[in-house]
């Protein structure tokens, strides 16, 4: 536990001080707004924003999560391989500190630090909306959306962003990750074969549909559940509280499996 805590604190402090961790989310939001993104209209335009604070704030979570998770994964892609590149890994392996505890601390510390700007953006907009509309309950819904949608999705992304660059160059991973995110999360299954709306969906179709009762800004379906004519419908069971929690559990289990694979790879390299 001491090794885990020390690794987590060190990784968090080192990562949160990186200018890129703050610049990338800021530039993403600015570019999104400049090209006509609906973020501000959905929150502050009385003619455009939803009548319910829940719908507005949960919709904001989807937009922020969908946009900023791309930079989140790309920023984490060099955190583990950097130890090898700087020849720090052999020094750490020579210490009595367990490699599993170090890996878990690096994972949670770096992921938490890289998520800080995302949460600052999200809660900043949510707080501004709550003040503008006089709806303090919006912050409660923001906390709920963070817990069941944003955090599981970011933990899933972080695990693969740390581990996959062990078997391929980090720049190649970033290219493939951006392609996966745009293909597997944003288009609906009625448009093309995709993982969107399945249990393996980091944007949280099932928790959105069931736990947060969110059906889109304009009431459209969030695509949780079987879609007529779509592929991968075996991964789209009917939305229920059980399948919503199962979706979260699947994402966390896949993240744990990726970390376990990374631990095995590092152990083999050490030997």
């Amino acid at each position: 536990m001491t090794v885990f805590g020390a690794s987590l604190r060190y990784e968090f402090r080192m990562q949160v001080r990186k200018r890129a961790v703050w610049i990338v989310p800021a530039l993403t939001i600015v570019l999104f707004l400049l090209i006509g993104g609906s973020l501000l209209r959905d929150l502050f335009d009385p003619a455009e924003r939803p009548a319910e604070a829940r719908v507005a704030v949960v919709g904001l979570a989807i937009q922020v999560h969908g946009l900023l998770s791309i930079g989140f994964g790309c920023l984490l892609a060099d955190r583990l391989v950097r130890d090898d590149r700087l020849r720090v890994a052999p020094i750490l392996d020579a210490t009595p500190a367990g490699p599993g505890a170090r890996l878990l601390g690096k994972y949670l510390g770096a992921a938490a630090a890289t998520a800080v700007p995302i949460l600052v953006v999200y809660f900043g907009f949510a707080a501004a909306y709550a003040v503008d509309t006089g709806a303090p309950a919006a912050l409660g819904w923001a906390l709920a959306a963070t817990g069941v949608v944003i955090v599981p999705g970011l933990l899933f992304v972080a695990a693969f962003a740390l581990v996959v660059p062990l078997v391929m160059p980090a720049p190649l991973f970033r290219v493939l990750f951006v392609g996966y995110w745009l293909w597997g999360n944003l288009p609906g299954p009625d448009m093309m074969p995709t993982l969107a709306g399945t249990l393996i969906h980091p944007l949280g179709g099932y928790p959105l549909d069931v736990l947060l009762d969110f059906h889109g800004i304009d009431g459209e379906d969030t695509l949780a559940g079987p879609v007529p004519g779509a592929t991968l419908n075996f991964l789209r069971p009917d939305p229920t509280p059980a399948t919503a929690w199962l979706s979260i559990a699947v994402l966390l289990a896949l993240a744990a499996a990726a970390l376990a694979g990374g631990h095995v790879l590092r152990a083999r390299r050490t030997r």
Side-chain angles (χ1 to χ4, degrees), residues 103-123:
L103 176 61
L104 185 59
K106 179 184 288 289
Y107 163 65
L108 292 178
T114 312
V116 166
I118 297 176
L119 297 179
V120 167
V121 169
Y122 179 49
F123 280 98

Side-chain angles (χ1 to χ4, degrees), residues 35-203:
I35 63 176
S38 62
L39 189 62
L40 295 181
R41 293 195 304 274
D42 291 343
L43 290 178
F44 303 114
D45 187 346
E48 296 284 341
R49 67 188 178 198
E52 292 184 65
R54 172 182 54 81
V55 177
V57 172
V58 175
L60 169 66
I62 298 172
Q63 294 191 66
V64 170
H65 187 20
L67 281 171
L68 300 188
S69 291
I70 297 175
F72 176 85
C74 292
L75 286 167
L76 287 173
D78 68 341
R79 291 309 309 136
L80 200 55
V81 295
R82 186 172 179 270
D83 289 347
D84 293 324
R85 188 172 67 248
L86 297 180
R87 299 183 181 180
V88 175
I91 298 175
L92 294 174
D93 291 335
T95 67
R102 285 193 285 110
L103 176 61
L104 185 59
K106 179 184 288 289
Y107 163 65
L108 292 178
T114 312
V116 166
I118 297 176
L119 297 179
V120 167
V121 169
Y122 179 49
F123 280 98
F125 277 119
Y129 170 84
V131 171
D132 184 60
T133 59
L139 294 178
W141 287 111
L143 285 171
T146 299
V148 301
V149 175
I150 296 178
V151 170
L154 292 183
L155 289 175
F156 172 80
V157 170
F160 285 90
L162 282 178
V163 171
V164 175
L166 292 174
V167 296
M168 68 171 62
L172 176 59
F173 167 79
R174 291 185 176 105
V175 172
L176 295 177
F177 171 69
V178 173
Y180 149 75
W181 193 261
L182 297 177
W183 158 76
N185 295 285
L186 302 183
D190 54 339
M191 298 174 58
M192 64 176 69
T194 176
L195 292 173
T198 67
L199 295 173
I200 313 170
H201 188 195
L203 290 184

Side-chain angles (χ1 to χ4, degrees), residues 197-222:
T198 67
L199 295 173
I200 313 170
H201 188 195
L203 290 184
Y206 282 87
L208 287 169
D209 190 285
V210 179
L211 303 180
L212 299 177
D213 193 26
F214 180 80
H215 304 285
I217 294 293
D218 300 315
E220 70 269 15
D221 190 4
T222 54

